[in-house]
Amino acid sequence: MSGAPTVSVVVVSRGRPGSLKLCLTGLSRLLYPAYEIVVVTDDEGHAAVRAAGFCDEVKLVAFEEANISAARNAGIAEAAGEIVAFIDDDAVPEPGWLAHLVQGFSWPEAAAAGGFVRGRNGISFQWKARSVDQTGAAHDLALKDVTPVLLTPAEGRGIKTEGTNMAVRRTVLAEIGGFDPAFRFYLDETDLNMRLARAGLATAIVPLAEVHHAYAESARRSRTRGPRDLFDVGASTAVFLRKHCPAQAHEKVMQDLRTAQRRALLDHMVAGRIEPRDLRRLMARLEAGLEAGRDRPLSQMPAIPHPRHWFLPFETRATGGQSEVAGRRLFARRHRAAARAAAAAGETVTLFLFAPGVRPHRVRFTPDGVWEQTGGLWGRSNRNAKSLRFRRFSARITEERARVALQRRPPEEVSL
């Protein structure tokens, strides 16, 4: 990819050193020739970067405040790339992620680009293409295929990009002041989407730019994704409405939020993720957040200056070709050893481990840099497919190889 634009990948991490290490392992194996990594993190994160052996290869920014917008702005201030990409610390990019995402900027009028996000099973999608309206509500957009598309939103709407899989031209970000620190968590990137739309700027959606998002445990949610606090959801909603929504609609939107959150909490309670006693406390925290957001000062957001340091190119560990290891789950130890060896040699490795049966498939990225897919020989790797399809082992491997090939390779090796 000659003449590829330089990209700064910004990762914000707080209290999740294990997730950060895995994210960095994924970033270290990107198939892109010109990127740097900027890590904005607390003391735990700094220790994780050192333990992973990346300390001299990434830009480290010390940040302790619990404010994701301010942290991202600190990352932008150190970003020296033409494009600034964002990924969460509990996400891992597909090897071709950045190369595909940058395709969105082949349109000169594209200010931003976003891709698709898979959930913790590595198969189902959390988010695809969406737009967002003045209330902060997102609406699905139907794309015909996996070809990148440039979108200009209708009046009063924005094109949604997910904070864990998005990129913006640095000149644009710097001029508008980056992310609004009034959004300490939640709706921060949605506010940016609306501001870009208000400025008449277009956004590209690139379906093959995929990341896998784990929804790791945090101060706001448990390991099982049960909520621990809804204060920031309430506060950010109130701030968003003040900035983007007609005043006469505020109360209805907030009431709809209360209803939706209460329904979600009841579902969590039935599933055993929260205790019955948590319901009243969490709803009270949501209400406190709404009240705080009504009075929270809105930031002035001055332009972000040029970075103080030069671009720091990251030397990707993916120096070899593509390889696959496939076998029966019965011999998993042997196959995993072969996959680890190939990854250590610089190859981009996909490991297929199948057992007899119809168990649904899962995909995970291992700390050794291997993409491992497990499941039943006749199980689903497409959640919309029939649950039982009899195939020979070789035929199933061929099918799965084709399914993941597009995301695991850069665009010049992909035939759409």
Side-chain angles (χ1 to χ4, degrees):
M1 187 183 289
S2 60
T6 55
V7 182
S8 300
V9 181
V10 174
V11 187
V12 171
S13 183
R14 180 178 172 81
R16 296 197 292 213
S19 295
L20 176 60
K21 285 179 66 175
L22 188 64
C23 176
L24 290 174
T25 300
L27 291 175
S28 74
R29 307 186 72 88
L30 290 175
L31 301 173
Y32 192 76
Y35 70 104
E36 66 175 3
I37 301 174
V38 182
V39 181
V40 185
T41 187
D42 53 12
D43 288 342
E44 282 186 281
H46 277 250
V49 174
R50 288 193 295 270
F54 295 123
C55 204
D56 295 330
E57 300 177 78
V58 306
K59 292 180 176 178
L60 271 171
V61 181
F63 200 89
E64 294 288 344
E65 184 184 355
N67 186 319
I68 193 169
S69 293
R72 283 175 172 159
N73 288 346
I76 297 167
E78 288 294 331
E82 300 165 64
I83 295 165
V84 185
F86 299 90
I87 187 170
D88 289 349
D89 64 350
D90 60 349
V92 177
E94 284 278 357
W97 169 62
L98 205 54
H100 285 293
L101 191 60
V102 165
Q103 276 194 307
F105 297 98
S106 60
W107 288 286
E109 59 269 44
F116 285 10
V117 180
R118 292 189 187 266
R120 60 169 64 186
N121 64 17
I123 297 290
S124 305
F125 283 104
Q126 284 179 357
W127 303 300
K128 291 186 176 181
R130 302 193 291 173
S131 67
V132 64
D133 64 27
Q134 296 175 86
T135 71
H139 308 270
D140 290 340
L141 296 173
L143 301 186
K144 292 181 179 180
D145 51 35
V146 295
T147 305
V149 59
L150 184 68
L151 300 173
T152 301
E155 185 176 354
R157 290 206 173 196
I159 300 302
K160 187 83 172 72
T161 56
E162 311 302 338
T164 192
N165 185 1
M166 63 180 289
V168 188
R169 295 188 192 274
R170 192 191 189 280
T171 53
V172 173
L173 271 177
E175 182 178 345
I176 66 174
F179 294 83
D180 187 345
F183 296 90
R184 298 170 190 173
F185 172 80
Y186 188 64
L187 293 176
D188 42 302
E189 71 273 13
T190 308
D191 169 71
L192 179 66
N193 298 151
M194 293 297 288
R195 288 157 50 214
L196 292 175
R198 188 178 297 164
L201 299 172
T203 296
I205 297 297
V206 189
L208 288 178
E210 288 189 10
V211 303
H212 295 241
H213 188 214
Y215 263 129
E217 183 177 7
S218 71
R220 297 178 183 88
R221 61 175 174 258
S222 67
R223 181 179 57 82
T224 61
R225 293 180 61 180
R228 288 174 168 166
D229 196 351
L230 294 177
F231 180 88
D232 284 322
V233 171
S236 290
T237 297
V239 171
F240 188 91
L241 295 177
R242 289 167 57 198
K243 292 188 66 174
H244 303 291
C245 186
Q248 62 270 23
H250 289 192
E251 192 51 50
K252 182 183 184 305
V253 174
M254 289 189 286
Q255 187 55 47
D256 289 345
L257 175 68
R258 294 182 186 103
T259 301
Q261 289 295 331
R262 184 177 182 82
R263 186 180 299 117
L265 290 175
L266 289 172
D267 289 342
H268 283 299
M269 189 171 65
V270 171
R273 301 186 193 103
I274 65 173
E275 297 290 334
R277 64 176 178 270
D278 294 326
L279 180 61
R280 180 176 294 182
R281 176 185 62 82
L282 289 167
M283 289 301 296
R285 289 293 290 167
L286 177 69
E287 204 62 47
L290 287 168
E291 188 62 33
R294 289 187 179 97
D295 300 321
R296 180 174 290 175
L298 300 181
S299 306
Q300 293 299 313
M301 302 181 62
I304 298 175
H306 293 292
R308 295 173 296 171
H309 302 104
W310 296 103
F311 187 79
L312 181 62
F314 188 92
E315 296 294 331
T316 182
R317 305 304 197 256
T319 55
Q322 300 274 335
S323 68
E324 289 138 6
V325 178
R328 308 281 179 174
R329 187 72 181 265
L330 181 64
F331 305 107
R333 181 177 296 182
R334 179 203 309 167
H335 298 313
R336 283 176 174 143
R340 284 196 301 270
E347 296 186 21
T348 299
V349 186
T350 302
L351 170 61
F352 299 109
L353 289 175
F354 299 156
V358 295
R359 187 175 181 178
H361 286 214
R362 298 182 67 88
V363 174
R364 72 182 186 106
F365 181 73
T366 75
D368 302 305
V370 174
W371 288 93
E372 180 180 300
Q373 181 173 333
T374 57
L377 180 57
W378 309 298
R380 289 181 297 173
S381 59
N382 178 347
R383 294 300 191 256
N384 295 321
K386 294 181 179 179
S387 59
L388 185 62
R389 294 177 60 200
F390 289 102
R391 280 152 293 178
R392 297 175 62 87
F393 187 87
S394 59
R396 186 63 195 266
I397 294 300
T398 299
E399 178 182 305
E400 294 307 314
R401 180 187 297 123
R403 187 184 69 83
V404 302
L406 300 181
Q407 302 93 316
R408 305 267 154 92
R409 298 174 184 271
E412 61 268 22
E413 297 181 15
V414 172
S415 178
L416 299 179

